[in-house]
Amino acid sequence: QVQLVESGGGLVQAGGSLNLSCRASRLTFSTYIMGWFRQAPGKEPNFLGAIDWRGTRSHYADSQKGRFTISRDNAKNTVYLQMNGLKADDAAVYSCAASRRTWDLLPTTYREYDYWGQGTQVTVSS
C-alpha cells in the first residue's frame, strides 16, 4: 500500500528554521501533486502549499508566502518543506499528502488529497 513518511520535525526556537521531508513509496510519485498541511489539535488540516508533478510550479497559502518553500526530488520520491522564521503559532503536526488532481484544478483542501502521511510534530519555543 502507499506510504508517505514525514521526517525532520522537532523543537526549534522562534525565528529558527526546519526542513521537513516526506518520502513516498508504492506510489508513482512523479504523477502526483504533493501538498503540505498542518493540523492543530481538534482542528481540520490547514493547507500550506503544493507543488506540481515536475516541481516547476508551486502554490502557497497566503499566510505562508515568503516563509515556506516546497520542493521535490522525483528521483528520491521525496517532497520537502523548508520553513523559515518560525513562530510559536506554527507549532502543529505537519503532514504531506498526494493528490491525483491536475494543476489547473489546484487542490487546496484536505478532501482533494488521496494519500496522507502520519505527520511530524513541530514545536516552537519562544
Side-chain angles (χ1 to χ4, degrees), residues 58-98:
S58 58
H59 173 81
Y60 299 93
D62 286 342
S63 57
Q64 313 308 330
K65 284 181 181 176
R67 292 198 302 132
F68 291 3
T69 303
I70 298 174
S71 60
R72 69 189 293 165
D73 185 341
N74 286 346
K76 296 181 179 180
N77 283 4
T78 301
V79 62
Y80 305 95
L81 176 65
Q82 175 67 41
M83 304 187 292
N84 299 322
L86 286 164
K87 301 178 282 190
D89 59 4
D90 290 319
V93 174
Y94 284 69
S95 298
C96 64

Side-chain angles (χ1 to χ4, degrees), residues 40-59:
K43 296 191 175 181
E44 291 186 347
N46 183 35
F47 175 77
L48 299 175
I51 191 165
D52 74 348
W53 315 284
R54 291 180 293 178
T56 55
R57 293 173 292 185
S58 58
H59 173 81

Side-chain angles (χ1 to χ4, degrees), residues 7-22:
S7 61
L11 175 64
V12 62
Q13 286 191 328
S17 299
L18 280 177
N19 189 26
L20 306 184
S21 300
C22 166

